[in-house]
């Protein structure tokens, strides 16, 4: 073996011990774009059909976030044009606030740039990777630049950009930058050309558009799928409400969730001039009294200058924090969809017999506030013999891949659905005519990967989902039992009704009644049956 | 709901349409270290026990890679010291080539820096993230710097560094840098302090050390686990061979695996002055004749200057490449462990009755050469009633997490083990007294995540694993059948032997034989039995 390999190896191997210097010459920086270009499956570009979906998703997420931050009712257009068998152009257009010219290249032409990473606030995007990664994938597979049109107001001109990412430097290269006329007063349009595949099924773009519309009832979404058979028709998903989701507050980190290294970094960066004010102003839920308790417990003076606090003191403070009782973080930073809107969205989505929705109270995992919502539709047009349909959402974004790895699936499979009148094979999802919609909203959603397909199994999160499912389960069980009881009664009644005339004839013969008396008996018996039914 | 949130929100929300400018002020760069510090579960630092394992793993991987590149028989020492209930110090020391002073800070104090990312060559590390991420995790949880001692030769002094990563800039900050005396002539020692947990079981550091030693029979590994009950004893895993794995060649990319965007980049970067020479010198397996065919098919002149080739021409060339028959990439860049060493390692690991090993020929997925090896031990000390044990390896590194997501598990479960005489519940791993060792070696292993826990499901890879398993399966089946047959025969023989004297007595009575003749009959019959047994 060794001999064969040696024979075909181009260079002689150096076994000299002085290799450290040689090795040193090969060391170099790897740009984050190079890293993700090579590892693009990590960002959701595993294969052509997932790449198409991810591109649409990143574009729509950004548009929705931008509209909400600016307080605009989103009006979003998604156009997919098939250019050849394997090549597509995706265009996403919104009526958001637009982007100021100087920011455009960085936002679309470099990875890890954005406004959402450094704050604790609920938004769809978290990382500052998504849309530029989609552009990078387009460039990689088609060589075409990303095209952006953006306008920040009526009195401003629209800017038109074409740019590519320089993967070696993770920097944008602007190919075109001019002003153009645009019929929108305000908004942004992004166009990306990429190698892709347009497929149906639960992983499809079509399914995504349906589901995103369901969880964003304030958004109007116009979808133009690629022409498959007939002329590509527009599908409009109208808004169900004109109420924009409440703008969510940005929160400060809760002391319990802060690690020693982060704490030390905060002491170095703080603008506060002493420890006490740093604790009260840079963290959530630390009152001056609490700060005093922490300092005392740590044996560090409250008037100590934070930048002078060394590792050992920081460690004492860190320990003191864990030992001090501190209020849970505020939860008003989470914006739920709300039970009312979930019901309305579900009713627009599917023609069922029964609907339920539960918005749980916000709670906390690892210092991060989060909240769970569950919607359920039952019966009607839903198929009775299949596994129930589960729509999973995180911060209003549907999760379409990796259901098996997701906390939502785990909680749904572990809930005892038999007691809620559904068939339930052990360890699997229940079977029945039901659609479940589970939404988790948080300032920081713990995804299992950057491709944001599944939620990690934090026990606190699974517990909240289970409680939401149980609440909906109890309500649907009441409905199903009531319907069963009614069906039972109707059957019994039909049965009795059928025999009332025979009973009357029997009584007529025994008691020697007239025809009229006999008819009266029929009326009376029917009346009794009627009344007993009503009780 | 909306009202409640509004009441507690600190700032009034701005609904003014001029928000684009406001939003712009919040945009900023995210350093790759900040990204991975927040998303550290992606790198294998999900929880304290996995963090401890990952730290050891990254250190040992680096040491083995360094020794092999320098042609040194690895002699590696792993010490874990428990400092408090949740705090550990991990030290990894090797006899490798050492690191030149100027490189130390970048290698240990910044993410995405290294020599392995930009080349196509088989090595344990791929990304330039591992060891600095471990240092960053240590800093984050304990505030302590990474400590490095390194020496590049007898006549040089050893350097001693203490450094931390500045996560905001992804840059090293050197805390200490001096020369010291060190008893090793050459090598590197890394010490990281971290919050961790020391556990047993299949995910443990102990299991890792056993498994890494099994797949690296040329390495001597000395392991000092944390003192748990008795005084922390040294475990030495001696080397089984003194042959260093053949140094693997670096290869050029194969044209079939290169995407349009990458191709365009290569045209921009090449040192070649014309297209033909760029194709022959920057790619593997492109002869001058093949290059000519590609140019002709693309309709681009072979003497065209690569840097002047535009997108449209590049696209034609890209298409022409797919349409041209090009030899598969060379596979001598892959260094297998080899059947002989796998057998020796398995024999050292477990006392079984039967061993088999198969090294498949190298083949290709997505333009990347790879190779599969399978080892199997059967019977003896292995438990008969349990699911078989499966050790998974990629480039000689054991994979201990996420077996369910791994191509190796998938292939092992899908193989028909019943025909190889093992019990096999449908869709699961087989049951029986067997240990399987599956190794995939490649210039680029397609992991499903940066934490390198599982191999992605490429059909080409699964097929090769299956073929390797089947080969071992056939051999063990032959052994099991033979053993069964022997057991059958032994039973029959014992049975017949038992009755030979009675038969002789019967014959004696019927034929009126003498005592001597009867004894002769016994001898003859025994002899016949003996001979038939031998045939």
């Amino acid at each position: 073996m060794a001999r064969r390999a040696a024979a075909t190896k181009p260079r002689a191997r150096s076994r000299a011990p002085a290799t450290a210097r040689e090795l040193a010459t090969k060391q170099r920086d790897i740009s984050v774009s190079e890293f993700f270009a090579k590892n693009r499956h990590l960002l959701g570009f595993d294969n052509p059909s997932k790449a198409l979906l991810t591109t649409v998703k990143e574009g729509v997420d950004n548009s929705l976030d931008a509209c909400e931050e600016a307080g605009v009712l989103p009006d979003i257009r998604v156009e997919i044009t098939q250019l050849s068998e394997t090549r597509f152009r995706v265009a996403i257009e919104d009526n958001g606030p637009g982007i100021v010219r100087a920011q455009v290249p960085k936002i679309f032409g470099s990875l890890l740039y954005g406004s959402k990473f450094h704050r604790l606030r609920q938004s769809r995007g978290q990382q500052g990777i998504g849309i530029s990664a989609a552009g990078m994938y387009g460039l990689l597979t088609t060589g075409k630049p990303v095209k952006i049109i953006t306008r920040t107001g009526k009195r401003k001109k629209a800017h038109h950009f074409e740019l590519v990412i320089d993967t070696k430097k993770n920097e944008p290269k602007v190919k075109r930058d001019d002003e153009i006329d645009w019929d929108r007063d305000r908004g942004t349009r992004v166009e990306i050309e990429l190698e892709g595949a347009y497929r149906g099924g639960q992983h499809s773009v079509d399914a995504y558009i349906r589901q995103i519309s369901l969880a964003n009832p304030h958004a109007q979404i116009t979808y133009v799928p690629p022409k498959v058979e007939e002329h590509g028709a527009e599908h409009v998903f109208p808004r169900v409400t004109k109420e924009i989701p409440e703008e969510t507050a940005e929160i400060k980190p809760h002391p319990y969730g802060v690690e020693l290294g982060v704490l030390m970094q905060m002491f170095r960066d703080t603008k506060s001039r002493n420890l006490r004010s740093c604790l009260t102003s840079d963290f959530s839920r630390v009152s001056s009294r609490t700060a005093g308790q922490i300092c005392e417990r740590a044996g560090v003076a409250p008037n100590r200058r934070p930048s002078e606090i060394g590792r050992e003191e920081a460690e004492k403070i860190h320990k003191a924090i864990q030992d001090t009782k501190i209020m849970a973080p505020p939860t008003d930073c989470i914006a739920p969809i709300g039970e009312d809107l979930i019901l309305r969205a579900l009713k627009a989505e599917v023609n069922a017999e029964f609907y339920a929705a539960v918005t749980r109270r916000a709670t906390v995992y690892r210092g991060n506030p989060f909240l769970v919502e569950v919607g359920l539709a039952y019966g009607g047009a839903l198929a009775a013999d299949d596994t129930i349909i589960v729509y999973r959402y995180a911060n209003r974004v549907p999760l379409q891949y990796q259901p098996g790895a997701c906390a939502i699936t785990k909680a749904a499979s572990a809930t005892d659905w038999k007691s809620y009148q559904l068939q339930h094979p052990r360890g699997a999802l229940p079977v029945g005519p039901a659609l479940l919609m589970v939404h988790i909203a948080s300032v920081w959603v713990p995804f299992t990967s950057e491709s944001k397909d599944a939620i990690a199994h934090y026990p606190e999160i699974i517990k909240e989902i289970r409680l939401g499912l149980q609440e909906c389960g109890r309500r649907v069980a009441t409905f199903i039992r009531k319907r069963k009881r009614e069906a039972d009664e109707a059957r019994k009644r039909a049965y009795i009704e059928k025999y009332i005339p025979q009973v009357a004839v029997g009584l007529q013969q025994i008691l020697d009644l007239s025809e009229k008396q006999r008819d009266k008996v029929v009326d009376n018996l029917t009346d009794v049956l009627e009344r007993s039914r009503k009780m």
Side-chain angles (χ1 to χ4, degrees), chain A residues 54 83 101 243 260 265 476 495 514 524:
Chain A
T54 302
L83 303 171
R101 182 166 166 276
E243 207 176 297
L260 177 54
Q265 184 71 46
V476 76
Y495 192 76
S514 68
N524 279 345

Side-chain angles (χ1 to χ4, degrees), chain A residues 47-76:
Chain A
N47 56 55
S49 66
K50 196 168 177 193
L52 184 70
L53 172 65
T54 302
T55 302
V56 170
K57 223 170 145 166
E58 296 295 351
V60 174
D61 283 1
N62 276 8
S63 287
L64 287 170
D65 273 348
C67 289
E68 281 170 28
E69 288 205 32
V72 175
L73 271 175
D75 193 347
I76 291 168

Side-chain angles (χ1 to χ4, degrees), chain A residues 19-329:
Chain A
T19 328
R21 193 155 298 275
E22 247 175 78
L23 289 177
T25 60
K26 296 181 197 155
Q27 303 277 2
R28 56 185 264 214
D29 275 315
I30 300 150
S31 100
V32 65
S33 333
E34 286 180 306
F35 175 79
F36 279 118
K38 203 159 177 181
N39 291 288
R40 58 174 176 272
H41 57 283
L42 302 172
L43 299 179
F45 297 92
D46 314 40
N47 56 55
S49 66
K50 196 168 177 193
L52 184 70
L53 172 65
T54 302
T55 302
V56 170
K57 223 170 145 166
E58 296 295 351
V60 174
D61 283 1
N62 276 8
S63 287
L64 287 170
D65 273 348
C67 289
E68 281 170 28
E69 288 205 32
V72 175
L73 271 175
D75 193 347
I76 291 168
R77 186 179 174 85
V78 178
E79 289 167 17
I80 305 181
T81 315
Q82 184 151 12
L83 303 171
S84 75
E85 204 191 324
T86 59
R87 192 171 285 191
F88 294 82
R89 186 192 303 120
V90 172
I92 288 130
E93 192 175 316
D94 65 51
N95 60 336
I99 302 164
V100 296
R101 182 166 166 276
Q103 290 293 325
V104 174
K106 284 286 245 172
I107 290 177
F108 294 94
S110 67
L111 299 187
L112 291 178
Y113 182 82
S115 60
K116 298 166 194 169
F117 183 85
H118 288 102
R119 62 185 195 193
L120 279 175
R121 176 170 163 181
Q122 180 185 338
S123 57
R124 292 168 185 80
Q126 291 192 160
Q127 318 274 30
I129 287 189
I131 194 69
S132 27
M136 184 169 79
Y137 178 81
L139 176 69
L140 213 61
T141 54
T142 71
K144 290 283 183 77
V146 182
K147 221 165 130 177
I148 302 117
I149 301 174
T150 188
R151 190 174 178 187
T152 57
K154 228 181 214 170
R155 278 164 302 177
K156 308 266 173 66
K157 275 280 201 176
H159 290 289
H160 177 206
F161 276 92
E162 284 188 19
L163 55 84
V164 297
I165 188 167
D166 178 346
T167 46
K168 292 211 168 164
K169 298 184 189 151
N170 188 33
E171 274 175 11
K173 258 201 241 172
V174 175
K175 298 273 181 181
R176 193 177 152 174
D177 170 4
D178 47 19
E179 295 192 337
I180 57 162
D181 289 325
W182 198 32
D183 52 0
R184 276 195 193 269
D185 287 349
R186 233 163 23 113
T188 302
R189 178 184 170 95
V190 185
E191 277 184 34
I192 293 173
E193 231 178 277
L194 72 156
E195 289 283 310
Y198 177 69
R199 299 259 161 74
Q202 66 176 108
H203 295 158
S204 66
V205 177
D206 299 22
Y208 164 76
I209 299 279
R210 279 197 91 82
Q211 291 183 33
I212 191 92
S213 144
L214 191 59
N216 295 273
H218 63 295
Q220 163 147 323
I221 299 177
T222 307
Y223 173 45
V224 188
K227 296 171 204 174
V228 178
E229 293 197 350
E230 48 195 321
H231 192 73
E234 273 190 20
H235 299 268
V236 177
F237 297 81
R239 59 173 57 87
V240 175
T241 175
K242 288 198 167 177
E243 207 176 297
I244 304 176
E246 193 57 32
E247 194 189 13
T248 50
E250 188 176 336
I251 61 161
K252 286 176 182 145
H254 190 272
Y256 284 169
V258 171
E259 278 159 318
L260 177 54
V262 177
L263 187 71
M264 287 164 64
Q265 184 71 46
M266 289 175 80
F267 287 157
R268 281 193 293 273
D269 295 346
T270 184
K271 285 171 190 148
S272 302
R273 305 193 47 184
N274 65 59
L275 176 58
R276 183 198 292 266
S277 79
C278 170
L279 288 172
T280 54
S281 56
D282 294 357
F283 293 90
S284 73
R285 299 302 202 203
V286 180
S287 65
S288 182
R289 205 173 130 258
T290 311
Q293 287 173 345
I294 293 170
C295 295
E296 200 188 321
R297 190 166 271 135
V300 179
N303 60 358
R304 194 100 164 71
R305 185 182 285 273
S307 58
E308 285 169 1
I309 293 174
R311 207 193 56 77
E312 272 160 50
E313 279 176 317
E315 195 164 348
K316 282 184 194 149
I317 297 165
H318 187 253
K319 194 168 175 317
I321 287 173
Q322 314 307 319
D323 297 343
T324 305
K325 203 168 151 53
I326 305 170
M327 226 177 148

